């Protein structure tokens, strides 16, 4: 393809993504199936012009681990699979505060309590509320939580205790979800997100790339996220866990990672796309290119059952890409 033709296609694709109403599903699918150089160049241009220029970091703590009743085929914490996952009950308020303080010392702006399991009992909601109140007193981070399927009344209690944002991933396209989990549905997840909004909370919602989704399903997923309109989209890349039904899947190849990130950016021009699980599986060049085409935030530090990104590594990537980061951070001396 002549360079002038490619430049014209990039400009047309940027115009589609940034016009009122945004790109259409048919246009997005055509871009994904077309020239990947055009797709990625357009995604970079949209990222540069539409996304906030501060690379936001958050942290999480595995506040209750394992023994989950749900049969998510990717998850180490499901009781349906034998993965050797660590099982532990509620970590307690002091441990939650200590984890939040450690993350705050590393410059995160948000910190989330994450628990395994389908939902929370009234007693569990109360203990989480107590931890949120103490975390709010002893740190300055914005407080988030990922607690499964929660109703509006409990979400209002959590908000009153200091919660500002609720996380519930859709994980993949609704048409693909039933192939990966049968113990709950996308509709239940969407109802939880709707309840969170009704309770006055921001929402965080994303998913996992590399679970066998087709091009069409990737586009479907991107547009469902657009409809949800979350404040943050965590982008996980499947880290196959031995013992799970997806444990023998190959790690997603570099081109598919980058094309998927670019597609998500074109459909969601201004929403932060956040490095999440699987980030450590990316080599430096791929991670750098992912930032170039669309990633604009990150989860750093320990994750749930796998190690997370190093704070300084992703800050370095962000600075190289022209983002602001924590004002007191400087690249480490070589």
């Amino acid at each position: 393809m002549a360079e002038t033709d490619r430049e014209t296609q990039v400009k047309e694709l940027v115009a589609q993504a940034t016009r009122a109403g945004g790109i259409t599903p048919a246009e997005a699918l055509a871009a994904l199936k077309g020239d990947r150089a055009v797709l990625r160049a357009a995604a970079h241009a949209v990222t540069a012009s539409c996304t906030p220029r501060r690379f936001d970091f958050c942290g999480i703590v595995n506040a209750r681990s394992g023994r989950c009743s749900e049969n998510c085929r990717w998850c180490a914490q499901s009781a349906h699979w034998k993965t050797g996952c660590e099982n532990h009950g509620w970590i307690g308020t002091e441990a939650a505060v200590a984890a939040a303080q450690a993350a705050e010392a590393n410059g995160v702006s948000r910190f989330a309590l994450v628990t395994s399991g389908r939902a929370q009992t009234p007693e569990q909601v109360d203990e989480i509320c107590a931890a949120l109140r103490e975390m709010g007193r002893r740190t300055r981070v914005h407080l988030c939580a990922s607690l499964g399927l929660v109703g509006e009344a409990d979400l209002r209690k959590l908000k009153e205790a200091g919660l500002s944002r609720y996380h519930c991933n859709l994980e993949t396209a609704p048409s693909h979800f039933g192939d990966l989990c049968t113990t709950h549905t996308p509709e239940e997840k969407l109802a939880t997100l709707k309840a969170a909004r009704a309770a006055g909370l921001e929402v965080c919602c994303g998913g996992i790339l590399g679970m066998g989704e087709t091009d069409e399903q990737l586009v479907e997923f991107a547009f469902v996220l657009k409809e949800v309109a979350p404040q943050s989209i965590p982008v996980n890349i499947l880290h196959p866990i031995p013992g799970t039904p997806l444990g023998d899947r190959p790690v997603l190849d570099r081109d598919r990672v980058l094309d998927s990130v670019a597609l998500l950016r074109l459909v969601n021009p201004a929403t932060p796309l956040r490095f999440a699980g699987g980030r450590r599986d990316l080599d430096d060049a791929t991670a750098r290119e992912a930032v170039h085409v669309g990633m604009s935030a990150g989860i750093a530090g320990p994750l749930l059952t796998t190690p997370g990104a190093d704070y300084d590594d992703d800050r370095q990537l962000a600075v190289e890409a022209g983002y602001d980061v924590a004002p007191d951070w400087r690249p480490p001396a070589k």
Side-chain angles (χ1 to χ4, degrees):
M1 181 187 296
E3 192 63 30
T4 54
D5 292 341
R6 180 169 284 146
E7 290 173 357
T8 298
Q9 289 189 20
V10 170
K11 290 178 181 177
E12 290 175 350
L13 192 51
V14 171
Q16 290 169 355
T18 56
R19 71 191 174 202
I23 195 170
T24 68
E27 291 166 342
L29 183 60
L32 182 62
K33 289 181 176 292
D35 185 337
R36 63 168 39 107
V38 170
L39 171 68
R40 295 178 190 177
H44 169 68
V46 170
T47 299
S49 63
C50 297
T51 61
R53 301 314 296 168
R54 183 175 181 82
F55 203 96
D56 169 68
F57 285 96
C58 68
I60 65 175
V61 64
N62 191 351
R64 187 184 302 116
S65 180
R67 303 189 187 94
C68 182
S69 62
E70 306 306 282
N71 67 354
C72 306
R73 294 170 65 83
W74 62 85
C75 186
Q77 299 195 68
S78 171
H80 295 257
W81 325 128
K82 295 181 179 180
T83 65
C85 167
E86 179 184 2
N87 297 313
H88 64 73
W90 170 244
I91 60 173
T93 293
E94 283 303 312
V97 171
Q101 289 173 329
E104 183 179 35
N106 273 303
V108 305
S109 59
R110 293 188 168 276
F111 188 78
L113 295 172
V114 183
T115 62
S116 66
R118 176 186 177 89
Q120 307 298 313
T121 66
E123 294 77 18
Q124 288 169 340
V125 171
D126 288 342
E127 65 189 6
I128 293 166
C129 285
L132 289 169
R133 284 190 287 269
E134 194 64 18
M135 293 161 73
R137 281 193 288 266
R138 294 164 61 182
T139 73
R140 294 178 296 172
V141 294
H142 299 285
L143 299 175
C144 308
S146 183
L147 312 171
L149 304 176
V150 183
E152 185 178 340
D154 283 338
L155 288 162
R156 289 187 182 279
K157 289 179 66 174
L158 292 162
K159 183 176 187 296
E160 289 170 1
L163 192 69
S164 65
R165 182 178 291 181
Y166 192 74
H167 167 264
C168 183
N169 274 350
L170 290 176
E171 307 299 6
T172 190
S175 66
H176 188 38
F177 189 86
D179 298 327
L180 299 166
C181 177
T182 61
T183 50
H184 60 274
T185 66
E187 290 74 22
E188 289 173 299
K189 288 175 171 285
L190 289 167
T192 294
L193 292 164
K194 182 178 179 180
R197 280 266 167 73
L201 294 165
E202 295 181 346
V203 297
C204 176
C205 179
I208 307 172
L209 304 175
M211 297 197 293
E213 65 276 4
T214 64
D215 286 351
E216 290 76 10
Q217 288 167 336
L218 178 60
V219 170
E220 177 191 352
F221 174 55
F223 277 89
V224 174
L225 291 175
K226 179 181 178 179
E227 186 174 342
V228 171
Q231 277 68 41
S232 172
I233 297 176
V235 181
N236 298 272
I237 300 158
L238 181 69
H239 178 83
I241 303 292
T244 67
L246 299 187
D248 58 355
R249 286 195 66 86
V251 174
L252 197 61
D253 71 82
R254 178 182 191 274
D255 283 330
R256 184 62 172 183
V257 169
L258 296 175
D259 292 347
S260 298
V261 171
L263 186 280
L264 288 169
R265 170 54 65 218
L266 293 181
V267 178
N268 300 275
T271 308
L273 301 180
R274 186 178 299 277
F275 274 131
R279 162 65 184 88
R280 289 283 291 269
D281 293 330
L282 303 180
D283 60 52
D284 290 344
T286 302
R288 187 173 294 108
E289 183 68 11
V291 173
H292 183 77
V293 302
M295 302 300 286
S296 60
I299 301 176
L303 299 179
L304 298 180
T305 61
T306 58
D310 178 81
Y311 288 94
D312 284 345
D313 285 350
D314 279 3
R315 287 193 181 106
Q316 182 70 51
L317 290 180
V319 168
E320 290 174 359
Y323 286 93
D324 293 328
V325 293
D328 57 350
W329 183 81
R330 297 290 185 274
K334 294 184 179 180

